[in-house]
C-alpha cells in the first residue's frame, strides 16, 4: 500500500486538499509526515517543473501518483459531456496535455468532476453517449502515451452520472476503454453505495485507486463513515495500490495530515 496526500496551488477550508502552495515544499512536508506520494491538483499542468519534480521525488523517495483535472470544471466549466462541440474539443485537447505531462512524470490522470452534469430536462442517454465518446478519445491517447486514466465515481450533488463502482465498471467494459481504471472515494461512497463492505468489488478488475475522506469530508477516522468495514474490504479483495487522502484541511492541514498517517498505519501496516 502506498500512502498518498492530495496537494494543490492553495488550500481552503472547503477544498479537499491538505497541502497548498509551493509544490516542492509540499512534497518535502508530505515526506516528513510519513507519506510516500502526492497527487497534484492543478488547472495548469504545463506550468509544472517536470525535471525538478522528477529530481526531487527521486532524491527523497516520493512519487506523483496522479494529476487531478477537476479544477477545469469547478473553475472554468469545461466538461466531457458538453454538447458544445468546440468547447468539448478544447477540453479533450487540455486532457491530452495532462496525459503528456503525466507520461513525463510517470504519473496518471484523474477524470472526476469533469464528467460534468446532464442539464435538467435533457436526455441522459444522449449525454452518456457523448461522455463515452470523449472517454474513448482520451483513453486511446492515454494508451499511446502509456498513461493510466483514473475515472472517479463522484456523488450525485457534484455529478449526475457515474456515481457508483458498478457505473464505472459498465462504462469501462462496455466501451472497452483502454488504459482506464476506476477511482473510488469513501466520501462519495458514503452517499451513493448500498454497501460500504461490498462496493469496491463492483469495480472488479478495474479498481485502481482509492481516495479517503470521512462523511464530513474531514480526515478519515474523524467522522461517522465505517472505515473498519471499508478497510477490511480493501484488504480482503487484495488491493495493494495507492491510498490517498483527499479531505478538508480541518482543523488545520498539518493536524489532518498527521491524523491521516496514523489512520493509514493503523489500518494498513
Ligand atoms: C475529486 O477527486 C473529488 O472527489 C471531487 O469531489 C472533487 O471535489
Ligand atoms: Mn475524490
Amino acid at each position: 500500500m502506498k500512502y498518498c496526500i492530495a496537494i494543490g496551488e492553495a488550500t481552503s477550508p472547503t477544498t479537499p486538499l491538505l497541502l497548498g502552495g509551493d509544490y516542492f515544499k509540499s512534497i518535502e512536508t508530505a515526506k516528513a509526515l510519513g507519506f510516500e506520494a502526492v497527487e497534484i491538483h492543478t488547472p495548469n499542468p504545463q506550468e509544472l517543473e517536470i525535471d525538478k519534480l522528477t529530481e526531487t521525488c527521486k532524491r527523497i523517495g516520493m512519487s506523483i501518483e496522479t494529476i487531478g483535472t477537476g479544477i477545469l470544471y469547478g473553475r472554468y466549466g469545461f466538461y466531457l459531456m458538453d454538447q458544445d462541440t468546440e468547447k468539448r474539443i478544447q477540453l479533450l485537447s487540455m486532457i491530452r496535455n495532462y496525459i503528456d505531462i503525466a507520461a513525463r512524470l510517470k504519473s496518471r490522470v484523474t477524470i472526476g468532476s469533469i464528467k460534468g452534469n446532464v442539464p435538467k430536462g435533457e436526455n441522459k442517454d444522449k449525454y452518456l453517449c457523448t461522455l463515452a465518446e470523449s472517454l474513448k478519445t482520451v483513453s486511446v491517447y492515454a494508451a499511446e502515451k502509456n498513461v493510466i486514466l483514473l475515472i472517479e465515481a463522484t456523488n450525485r450533488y457534484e455529478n449526475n452520472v457515474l456515481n457508483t463502482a458498478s457505473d464505472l465498471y459498465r462504462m469501462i467494459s462496455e466501451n472497452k476503454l483502454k488504459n482506464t481504471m476506476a477511482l473510488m472515494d469513501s466520501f462519495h461512497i458514503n452517499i451513493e453505495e448500498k454497501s460500504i463492505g461490498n462496493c469496491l468489488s463492483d469495480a472488479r478488475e478495474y479498481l485502481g485507486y482509492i481516495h479517503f475522506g470521512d462523511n464530513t469530508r474531514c480526515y478519515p477516522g474523524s467522522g461517522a463513515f465505517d472505515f473498519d468495514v471499508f478497510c477490511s474490504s480493501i484488504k480482503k479483495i487484495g488491493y495493494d495500490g495507492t491510498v490517498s487522502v483527499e479531505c478538508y484541511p480541518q482543523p488545520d492541514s498539518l493536524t489532518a495530515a498527521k491524523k491521516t498517517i496514523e489512520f493509514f498505519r493503523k489500518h494498513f501496516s
Side-chain angles (χ1 to χ4, degrees), residues 16 39 41 110 152-154 183-188 211-212 217 246:
E39 54 171 80
H41 292 250
T110 306
E152 181 166 14
T154 47
L183 192 168
M184 295 301 295
D185 180 324
S186 56
F187 171 71
H188 301 300
H211 273 160
F212 284 73
R217 218 164 202 186
E246 188 191 50

